[in-house]
Amino acid sequence: MKALWATLPFLPLLLTAAPRSFLAHDEGYYALQARWIAQSGQWLAPPWWDQVIFDRTIGLPWLIAAAYRLLGLAPWVAHVPSLVAAVASLILSAALARRLLGGEGAGWLAAAVLALTPLWLDYAHLASQDMPLLALELLGILALLRAGDTPKRHWALLAGAWIGPAVLIKGFMVALPVLALLPFALLERRPVLRRSAFWLGFALGWLPVALWLGLSLRVLGLPVVAGLWQKLLYLSESDVYSAGPLYYLWNLPANTVPWSLFALAGWRGWLAAPLERTQRLLLLLYPLLMLLLLSAFRTKTPYYGLQLTPFIALAASAGLRSWSSGSGWDARWVRLGTGGLGLALLLVAAVVLWPGAPAGRLVANAVASLAPTPGQFALAALGLGLAWALVPLCRRSSHRLGALLIGPWLALVVLVQAGLFTDRSPLQRQALARPGAAQALAAG
């Protein structure tokens, strides 16, 4: 019953009745591919109209096509795999926090921070490869961690089995988390690597990959299947998504604000504290290696940084606990700064919501292509500002922490329910819903 109550705050962030429309281009690409697979029954190769194009692996189209078969052809169904993976990533992040930081409260706090991270929440509602990949990575890390603590075979099995399905989801990009995890595996979990259950899981995980590639080579031939390797070469050499080696040093903090600020405090505390080697390898070295590997790869996109958000949440939860119970000048200035920002947001919300205010018209023009109305944006700012304005007035550490978390929760719930994270192309959705367009689509 306690666990059930603990899940309730996450539901309004993940479940919504708001309309859904796909974000160009990848979301529509995967949804259309999966639709063709579900309708034709041809599950072997990724289709594109009347051709087969091996420019990505088949895992996500399979998941969406399976959801279509079970639940019907509807836009919301395409997002089911990502939403399920998002729930899994919250559970796995909480389990990692309980094991590495200690205590049930640490697990809930880490999951709450992750759920309130804008980058994570954005991709929880996207029909893309990234959230399923994140869930598999976290499963592999937790399984390898737990396999060293217990002789039970299932953890060692999972520690080896996750890599194959991850390859089906994201292809060659799985090499990055595997490389980042190697120091922990070799220094702390070498006995696990010698267990037969680990290698049995490894073989079972790679079996569907081998079957898929083998059948594809047999039916379609090497020139077609070689498109997977050609896409990797294109991404590694292209300047289209190249943004310099420092891209993630600003993009990732910006997409995880305000928790990235508390994560810095958490990492500073860990560097000064006598951590166990397991904690140092997973809390400090693993995210650092992932950051370096992602930065070394030529293609830079925000969704690659999604793989680091659980570790930012873990560090932020440590920083938040230290801040909420602290009485030093640093903690006081953070409380005052948070309160001042809350008052500023209240003022902005009041100016926008005031009837006939010019600011309301300016905001309306700025967000004309987005699903929420200016009033809904202002309501989100109002909820965030009100909660944060109360932070300096809270005397108990639990109340300060609660006010800091409730503010983003209120704002994000308003925006999720208004469709900001689901109705990505409202103008296109409305155009396609017109009688003439609907009849033409039905006839086609």
Side-chain angles (χ1 to χ4, degrees), residues 45-120:
W48 189 245
W49 300 103
D50 58 347
Q51 300 179 8
V52 171
I53 301 179
F54 273 75
D55 64 339
R56 63 200 70 199
T57 47
I58 196 71
L60 182 66
W62 275 355
L63 292 176
I64 298 176
Y68 281 153
R69 282 288 186 91
L70 290 172
L71 303 171
L73 294 170
W76 68 269
V77 176
H79 297 90
V80 168
S82 289
L83 289 171
V84 172
V87 173
S89 72
L90 290 178
I91 295 171
L92 293 166
S93 297
L96 281 171
R98 286 194 298 269
R99 174 62 178 78
L100 294 172
L101 304 180
E104 188 69 30
W108 188 91
L109 180 57
V113 170
L114 183 59
L116 297 174
T117 299
L119 178 62
W120 181 91

Side-chain angles (χ1 to χ4, degrees), residues 237-249:
E237 297 173 357
S238 173
D239 287 326
V240 176
Y241 300 104
S242 179
L246 303 181
Y247 175 80
Y248 294 109
L249 293 182

Side-chain angles (χ1 to χ4, degrees), residues 30 50 118 165 196 199 212 216 219 248 251 308 332 341 386 413:
Y30 289 123
D50 58 347
S196 59
W199 292 106
W212 174 60
S216 298
V219 174
Y248 294 109
N251 183 271
L308 287 167
R332 292 175 186 174
L341 182 57
L386 181 61
V413 165

Side-chain angles (χ1 to χ4, degrees), residues 21-22 368-372 419 423-432:
S21 56
F22 295 122
S369 62
L370 297 177
D423 201 5
R424 309 287 182 155
S425 305
L427 298 180
Q428 185 182 53
R429 174 180 56 79
Q430 293 163 9
L432 292 174

Side-chain angles (χ1 to χ4, degrees), residues 171-390:
F172 297 106
M173 286 302 297
V174 178
L176 273 62
V178 171
L179 288 173
L181 198 55
L182 271 181
F184 173 68
L186 295 176
L187 295 175
E188 282 290 291
R189 290 298 183 265
R190 190 174 297 177
V192 176
L193 303 183
R194 292 196 290 263
R195 292 169 62 175
S196 59
F198 173 85
W199 292 106
L200 175 61
F202 184 81
L204 291 175
W206 274 95
L207 183 60
V209 183
L211 289 174
W212 174 60
L213 289 176
L215 288 172
S216 298
L217 287 169
R218 180 179 177 182
V219 174
L220 301 168
L222 180 60
V224 175
V225 179
L228 293 171
W229 179 254
Q230 293 165 2
K231 180 65 176 290
L232 177 66
L233 293 177
Y234 166 76
L235 291 175
S236 63
E237 297 173 357
S238 173
D239 287 326
V240 176
Y241 300 104
S242 179
L246 303 181
Y247 175 80
Y248 294 109
L249 293 182
W250 67 263
N251 183 271
L252 194 54
N255 281 315
T256 56
V257 74
W259 315 120
S260 51
L261 302 176
F262 290 99
L264 290 174
W267 282 318
R268 184 182 66 178
W270 287 341
L271 288 171
L275 297 178
E276 297 176 1
R277 188 164 70 168
T278 294
Q279 293 173 310
R280 290 199 303 270
L281 290 172
L282 288 181
L283 295 175
L284 296 174
L285 185 58
Y286 176 81
L288 177 61
L289 288 177
M290 276 295 297
L291 179 64
L292 293 174
L293 290 168
L294 288 172
S295 299
F297 193 63
R298 194 180 187 94
T299 298
K300 307 289 194 305
T301 65
Y303 53 78
Y304 287 160
L306 178 70
Q307 298 169 83
L308 287 167
T309 53
F311 296 91
I312 293 175
L314 289 174
S317 64
L320 283 167
R321 288 198 292 180
S322 175
W323 163 80
S324 64
S325 59
S327 57
W329 280 106
D330 288 349
R332 292 175 186 174
W333 278 114
V334 171
R335 290 199 292 271
L336 290 174
T338 303
L341 182 57
L343 291 175
L345 287 170
L346 285 175
L347 179 61
V348 170
V351 169
V352 174
L353 289 172
W354 194 268
R361 292 193 294 272
L362 290 174
V363 174
N365 293 330
V367 299
S369 62
L370 297 177
T373 64
Q376 289 167 331
F377 276 107
L379 283 176
L382 182 66
L384 178 61
L386 181 61
W388 280 10
L390 296 175

